[in-house]
Amino acid sequence: MLRSWLSSGTLISEFVVIQVRIGIVTLFPDMFKALTDFGVTGRAVRKGLLTVEFFNPRDYATDNYQTVDDRPFGGGPGMLMKFDTLKQAITRAVDCIGEDARVVYMSPQGEKLSQTAVKKFAGMHNLVIIAGRYEGIDERIISLYVDEEWSIGDYVLSGGELPAMVMIDAVSRFIPGVLGDMQSAENDSFTEGILDYPQYTRPECADGLKVPDVLLQGCHEDIANWRLKEALGRTYVRRRDLIKNLALTDRQEKQLAMYIRETDSQKK
Ligand code: 58G
């Protein structure tokens, strides 16, 4: 995003518009209204920054019953997505979204999604995401057509649609223009590898609990130090695994040490 001042003094913005195009292979495209019609992601779609196109295996069914499921070889309970209708939907999606599109399958067997991984996906401007149903998909679809298998966490859901929406929501926050000018996913504490600091809004006193004084006094340096101390402190208490993977700056070390000293003295 570039900005320049005209001699008249008018601030104009020359946006380098980045468009992210996502093809979604799903039996339930209407579920994605939750993503495309509401909030920050809805606005991104309306502004044309994010485009989502649907590819429904049902549209490639040829029999009278419009079959999109099939039985697993070897037996056992449950069904799999039917090979051919899924294959047709994926290949049509890649045709439309671009041959350079990364094809992603959401599954509990995938690599765990992280803010670092999300940021990498935001850098690829063409994605095809497969949202599976039933008990999953034929392994040969994965070896032949899928580039990456990703998971949103260690639990099983009845469909890949919610995981696909989670992925797209997280990715869209990194598209320039999706968040407000002052806001950005780059500024999110999680992008820096730590948890957020506590936040407060009106009233100053709610149910007998006061907003911390430092936030009311208006000294920006004190506020910044307090927020850093609280963010590092709760990361240390709740997610020591995150702290261990960070190289803390001198300022961060100092604020974390102060948090630990203060909480130790409160224990006494
Ligand atoms: C067992 C059952 C394995 C992603 C169903 C695979 C997708 C969780 C996640 C499936 C998902 C996740 C069919 C339904 C994948 C297929 C899909 N569940 N943790 N379920 O990201």
Side-chain angles (χ1 to χ4, degrees), residues 105-108 132-136 151-153 155-160 163:
Y105 174 51
M106 304 307 298
S107 103
R133 279 275 154 178
Y134 313 115
E135 303 310 312
S151 166
I152 63 163
Y155 37 83
V156 179
L157 300 169
S158 49

